[in-house]
Amino acid sequence: MRVKAIALTLVLFCVAALAQDKPRRLSTTIPDAEFPRLNADGSATFRVQADQAQKVQLLLELGQSTYDMTKGKDGYWEVTTKPLLPGFHYYAISVDGFASNDPGSRVFFAARKEVSGLEIPGPDQDFFAVKDVPHGTVRTEWYLSKTTGEIRRIFVYTPPGYDQSTARYPVLYLQHGYGEDEAGWSDQAHENFIPDNLIAAHKAAPRVIVNENGMTGVHFQPPPTPRPGATPNAPPPVRAVAQFFMNERYSAVDGVISHDLIPYIDEHFRTIPDREHRALAGLSMGGAQALRIGLKHLDEFAYLGAFSPAIDITDTTRDYDGALSDPAKINHQLRLLWIGIGTDDFLHAPVSESHQALEKAGIKHVWVESSGAHVWTVWRKYLADFAPRLFH
Amino acid sequence: MRVKAIALTLVLFCVAALAQDKPRRLSTTIPDAEFPRLNADGSATFRVQADQAQKVQLLLELGQSTYDMTKGKDGYWEVTTKPLLPGFHYYAISVDGFASNDPGSRVFFAARKEVSGLEIPGPDQDFFAVKDVPHGTVRTEWYLSKTTGEIRRIFVYTPPGYDQSTARYPVLYLQHGYGEDEAGWSDQAHENFIPDNLIAAHKAAPRVIVNENGMTGVHFQPPPTPRPGATPNAPPPVRAVAQFFMNERYSAVDGVISHDLIPYIDEHFRTIPDREHRALAGLSMGGAQALRIGLKHLDEFAYLGAFSPAIDITDTTRDYDGALSDPAKINHQLRLLWIGIGTDDFLHAPVSESHQALEKAGIKHVWVESSGAHVWTVWRKYLADFAPRLFH
């Protein structure tokens, strides 16, 4: 049944693509802007003005893939990429060494700045499509955190019908990754449309979703001196990254979530304020935070999710201050421990070995090894897999 | 009493400024970014990387004021401005003819793209400060518009206590200007903190505020051929702009607001669904829309606000299809007609002459002639003036 539906979607997508040999608007392109645009073969064309520039480049995926742009007779610089993977891509335009945004595209907060985004349509994106179903709301709220002394901004998704109902709801606390902020899950990942569609299809129970800023008090710096023989600006060693984030105590984030945010949410929203109706999940650094904070507060959370987490579990008797040392106990306490990683993710090795360490210790968990890299395209799929498993 | 309070605020601001001779972070600077930053004299310093660039410039106010940046020994380009007016400024960095964002600053949607923003602190900004008072919520909602056939995004401010109350509230529909979008009033103008503070000070009644996208179906193009003798890229004649926006029918926006949005809001929020509890206001093009749509639907709105509106009323017997032709009737129908313009606004002449035409015809209105140009710094002050006059 499901295979048939996927096959049908693929066929419809191909028919639509063939019928559509003209360039198309992208959802991330500014209304009325002509570029960037999508070509029939899945490539994209970019075009910018830079009259006196010597060298203009398109930097895809935060610089992992680079295209030289060429200056046309009309003075505009242009390039067409090879066909791109469906999903969400970051990119920048570099002009004579200045890397910044494409004025034709919307921006998203990533890598500690505002970055141009590109949504390439594809056959498996129906789960976050904007449909004519009842829609929930993403609320921007401000509350006082005693931990930091700040009025902090949070995002709170309330499901369709929340306002009209008197029911109480479970809550998923959902955290972004390093260098991003509390807007990531709604802006890049459609955290609202995913549960809207799941709820409309009766595949998940309505719940509240809360996003806080996980960068609070986190000051990770890549190792300052490159390893001998490493290329300049090479990424830091994967193990060092995974171990840094896994072993960080996140005391400021823990304080904000445990002492300030959860009481605020339980006071201001119609929640079911107990551990059986509370989940904590996150991606990358946020996945490390979900495990660190969640395993410390098992009285608060019964469901934990780690999406492409920066973790490197090697010794379940000692990691996390021994929180995993009694498998029978942790299996009893946690209703769900969900861990996923893409095979092209730079964290694939430490995460899959963490999974093996949990397996070996007999600690029950859902293990998802998907295709894909360390990107939002993967994380929104993970949310669609994770969300229906909560709050049964 | 009010003069004393202003004087005290000014003194405190000067003391704070003198005590603070180190550069300071701006609220619009990315967390952890060193630049742009504010100097003690109210100037700002900008710094970007552009290794191979020949010419780098800071373009303030969408290009109205330009600074050449200079390359230092460390290879970074830098400039310090003259002291800047307190308030919100747009800016861009131009590198060899490529105008884009400063990676150190947050962006805001303006002029049909994402533009770097700069919030310069000042003595008269307490009215939108983030204080420890009860805070309302800005909700991002999606609803189906029959007029356009789209699932459209709107922002809805609900006042503090809305969720806990069973009361019904009046509604202000508040529109942005040309080239902006429905996020402008919350992102650039703090439409939430302004009523939060007014409500906490018992200066305004709680109300719901709704923002839609007013660019729907509006395709204004400046006159394509420059007038004889005009400089290239000169702005179009002011009268032509004011007349275009005033006389535009806005049928798509009217349909969206009147047929789709108001029924949606009245169905999904606890509103008082009558004209005595409904206001329509906007800035620039949005001010023109507020008058055009509001005067057409006097059965729907009893309060209208036009902030620096693109209007040129010359004949009250004929303009707006005669909606103003019976002064006694319009004075009876409208509880408030509010019009404001800054003395440095490029629209000052047609708007102040529109005011004179209304005066001459005996059409009652609140007239505010303030300092300032065509900028958000002015419009958020106008909201603070307008909001307490509503819904008595």
Side-chain angles (χ1 to χ4, degrees):
Chain A
M1 195 61 192
R2 197 169 163 193
V3 172
K4 269 189 200 166
I6 291 170
L8 182 63
T9 308
L10 270 167
V11 167
L12 288 174
F13 178 72
C14 294
V15 168
L18 288 171
Q20 187 88 43
D21 55 358
K22 285 188 303 185
R24 278 198 288 162
R25 279 201 81 251
L26 292 159
S27 63
T28 39
T29 299
I30 300 284
D32 297 330
E34 270 194 86
F35 296 90
R37 62 193 192 190
L38 180 72
N39 305 305
D41 63 355
S43 65
T45 300
F46 300 79
R47 186 178 157 95
V48 298
Q49 188 175 11
D51 297 339
Q52 293 91 41
Q54 302 301 307
K55 188 177 184 182
V56 179
Q57 290 183 309
L58 166 69
L59 312 179
L60 269 180
E61 323 301 358
L62 301 172
Q64 286 172 42
S65 167
T66 300
Y67 290 85
D68 288 330
M69 298 178 78
T70 52
K71 194 173 185 175
K73 284 179 186 164
D74 57 4
Y76 283 82
W77 296 77
E78 192 172 311
V79 73
T80 294
T81 64
K82 62 185 179 187
L84 297 170
L85 282 179
F88 184 83
H89 304 257
Y90 289 120
Y91 75 101
I93 303 290
S94 171
V95 174
D96 291 344
F98 176 67
S100 187
N101 306 128
D102 179 355
S105 220
R106 299 304 309 225
V107 300
F108 300 82
F109 199 72
R112 302 206 267 186
K113 57 187 177 238
E114 311 261 16
V115 180
S116 295
L118 195 70
E119 182 74 58
I120 300 292
D124 59 349
Q125 298 177 348
D126 188 64
F127 69 102
F128 66 82
V130 188
K131 300 181 191 177
D132 185 16
V133 298
H135 288 288
T137 298
V138 177
R139 302 171 187 225
T140 312
E141 298 260 335
W142 290 264
Y143 79 109
L144 178 64
S145 160
K146 286 182 189 164
T147 300
T148 69
E150 301 162 316
I151 311 275
R152 291 174 67 89
R153 184 181 74 161
I154 51 172
F155 289 88
V156 182
Y157 164 82
T158 53
Y162 179 91
D163 276 321
Q164 288 71 41
S165 168
T166 55
R168 303 190 75 88
Y169 296 84
V171 184
L172 163 61
Y173 292 84
L174 187 58
Q175 293 293 112
H176 60 81
Y178 185 81
E180 299 166 342
D181 73 9
E182 66 274 19
W185 272 106
S186 47
D187 284 354
Q188 283 95 315
H190 312 293
E191 68 169 4
N192 55 316
F193 297 129
I194 293 171
D196 284 351
N197 290 336
L198 286 168
I199 293 164
H202 305 288
K203 288 180 180 165
R207 82 281 315 271
V208 169
I209 303 177
V210 180
N211 313 121
E212 241 287 6
N213 190 317
M215 290 291 284
T216 309
V218 177
H219 297 289
F220 172 68
Q221 292 293 341
T225 45
R227 291 154 291 159
T231 48
N233 300 318
V238 168
R239 294 279 171 189
V241 172
Q243 285 165 15
F244 173 88
F245 285 110
M246 173 167 138
N247 293 316
E248 173 75 18
R249 296 287 153 163
Y250 300 113
S251 56
V253 185
D254 184 1
V256 165
I257 292 179
S258 305
H259 300 147
D260 306 330
L261 180 61
I262 291 176
Y264 176 83
I265 294 295
D266 286 339
E267 188 183 335
H268 289 82
F269 291 85
R270 293 194 317 278
T271 65
I272 310 173
D274 63 32
R275 70 183 297 281
E276 298 289 324
H277 299 88
R278 202 180 286 128
L280 177 60
L283 71 92
S284 194
M285 175 189 78
Q289 292 175 334
L291 295 187
R292 171 65 61 189
I293 295 167
L295 291 172
K296 186 177 165 195
H297 298 281
L298 286 166
D299 55 323
E300 295 280 2
F301 304 100
Y303 301 82
L304 300 179
F307 305 173
S308 315
I311 61 169
D312 188 15
I313 300 172
T314 53
D315 182 348
T316 56
T317 66
R318 293 175 54 176
D319 288 333
Y320 295 109
D321 303 322
L324 300 171
S325 61
D326 184 342
K329 190 176 166 196
I330 197 81
N331 288 343
H332 178 73
Q333 285 174 301
L334 280 182
R335 293 289 199 106
L336 176 65
L337 173 60
W338 191 106
I339 302 175
I341 188 83
T343 49
D344 296 331
D345 196 309
F346 78 105
L347 290 170
H348 182 263
V351 174
S352 57
E353 288 167 34
S354 298
H355 151 64
Q356 286 157 17
L358 294 171
E359 281 281 290
K360 198 175 159 196
I363 295 167
K364 284 195 284 188
H365 59 288
V366 170
W367 168 243
V368 172
E369 194 173 45
S370 71
S371 62
H374 203 71
V375 292
W376 280 104
T377 305
V378 167
W379 301 320
R380 53 196 186 191
K381 285 180 190 164
Y382 287 178
L383 178 59
D385 183 284
F386 179 68
R389 301 174 189 266
L390 300 176
F391 313 128
H392 289 297
Chain B
M1 194 62 193
R2 197 169 162 193
V3 173
K4 269 190 199 166
I6 291 170
L8 182 64
T9 308
L10 270 167
V11 167
L12 287 174
F13 178 72
C14 294
V15 169
L18 288 171
Q20 186 90 43
D21 56 358
K22 286 188 302 186
R24 279 197 287 162
R25 279 201 82 251
L26 292 160
S27 63
T28 39
T29 299
I30 301 283
D32 297 330
E34 272 194 84
F35 296 89
R37 63 193 191 190
L38 180 72
N39 305 305
D41 64 354
S43 66
T45 301
F46 299 79
R47 187 178 155 96
V48 299
Q49 189 174 11
D51 297 339
Q52 293 90 43
Q54 303 301 307
K55 187 176 185 183
V56 180
Q57 290 183 309
L58 166 69
L59 312 178
L60 269 180
E61 323 299 359
L62 301 172
Q64 287 174 42
S65 166
T66 300
Y67 289 85
D68 288 331
M69 298 178 78
T70 53
K71 195 174 186 176
K73 286 179 185 163
D74 57 4
Y76 284 82
W77 295 78
E78 193 173 309
V79 73
T80 294
T81 64
K82 62 185 179 186
L84 297 170
L85 281 179
F88 184 82
H89 303 257
Y90 290 120
Y91 74 102
I93 302 289
S94 171
V95 175
D96 292 344
F98 176 68
S100 187
N101 306 129
D102 179 355
S105 218
R106 300 302 310 226
V107 300
F108 301 82
F109 198 72
R112 302 204 270 186
K113 55 188 179 237
E114 311 261 16
V115 180
S116 295
L118 194 71
E119 182 74 58
I120 300 293
D124 59 348
Q125 297 177 348
D126 188 64
F127 69 101
F128 65 84
V130 189
K131 301 182 191 177
D132 185 16
V133 298
H135 287 288
T137 297
V138 177
R139 305 172 185 223
T140 312
E141 299 260 334
W142 290 263
Y143 79 107
L144 178 64
S145 159
K146 286 181 189 163
T147 300
T148 69
E150 302 162 314
I151 313 274
R152 292 174 66 90
R153 184 180 77 161
I154 50 171
F155 290 88
V156 182
Y157 165 82
T158 53
Y162 178 91
D163 277 322
Q164 287 72 41
S165 167
T166 55
R168 303 189 78 89
Y169 296 85
V171 185
L172 164 60
Y173 292 83
L174 188 58
Q175 293 294 111
H176 59 82
Y178 184 82
E180 300 166 341
D181 73 9
E182 66 274 20
W185 271 106
S186 47
D187 285 354
Q188 282 97 313
H190 313 292
E191 69 169 4
N192 55 317
F193 297 130
I194 292 171
D196 284 352
N197 291 335
L198 286 169
I199 293 165
H202 305 288
K203 289 180 182 166
R207 82 282 313 272
V208 169
I209 303 176
V210 180
N211 314 121
E212 241 286 6
N213 190 317
M215 290 291 284
T216 309
V218 178
H219 298 288
F220 172 67
Q221 294 293 341
T225 44
R227 291 155 291 160
T231 48
N233 300 316
V238 168
R239 294 278 170 191
V241 172
Q243 285 165 15
F244 172 88
F245 285 111
M246 173 168 140
N247 293 316
E248 173 76 18
R249 297 286 153 163
Y250 300 113
S251 57
V253 185
D254 184 0
V256 165
I257 292 179
S258 306
H259 301 149
D260 306 329
L261 181 61
I262 290 176
Y264 176 84
I265 294 295
D266 285 339
E267 188 182 335
H268 288 83
F269 291 85
R270 294 194 317 278
T271 64
I272 310 173
D274 63 32
R275 69 183 298 279
E276 298 289 324
H277 299 88
R278 203 179 286 127
L280 177 60
L283 71 92
S284 193
M285 176 189 77
Q289 292 174 335
L291 295 188
R292 170 66 59 189
I293 296 168
L295 291 172
K296 186 178 164 193
H297 298 280
L298 286 166
D299 55 324
E300 295 281 1
F301 304 99
Y303 300 83
L304 300 179
F307 304 174
S308 315
I311 60 170
D312 188 16
I313 300 173
T314 52
D315 181 348
T316 55
T317 65
R318 294 174 55 175
D319 288 331
Y320 296 109
D321 302 322
L324 300 171
S325 61
D326 183 343
K329 190 175 168 196
I330 196 83
N331 289 342
H332 178 73
Q333 284 173 303
L334 280 182
R335 294 287 202 106
L336 176 66
L337 174 59
W338 190 107
I339 302 174
I341 189 80
T343 48
D344 296 331
D345 194 309
F346 78 105
L347 290 170
H348 182 264
V351 174
S352 57
E353 288 167 33
S354 297
H355 150 65
Q356 286 156 17
L358 293 171
E359 281 280 290
K360 197 175 159 196
I363 295 168
K364 284 195 283 186
H365 59 288
V366 170
W367 167 244
V368 173
E369 194 174 46
S370 71
S371 63
H374 203 70
V375 292
W376 280 104
T377 306
V378 166
W379 300 320
R380 53 196 185 192
K381 285 181 192 165
Y382 287 177
L383 178 59
D385 184 282
F386 180 68
R389 302 174 189 265
L390 300 176
F391 312 129
H392 289 295

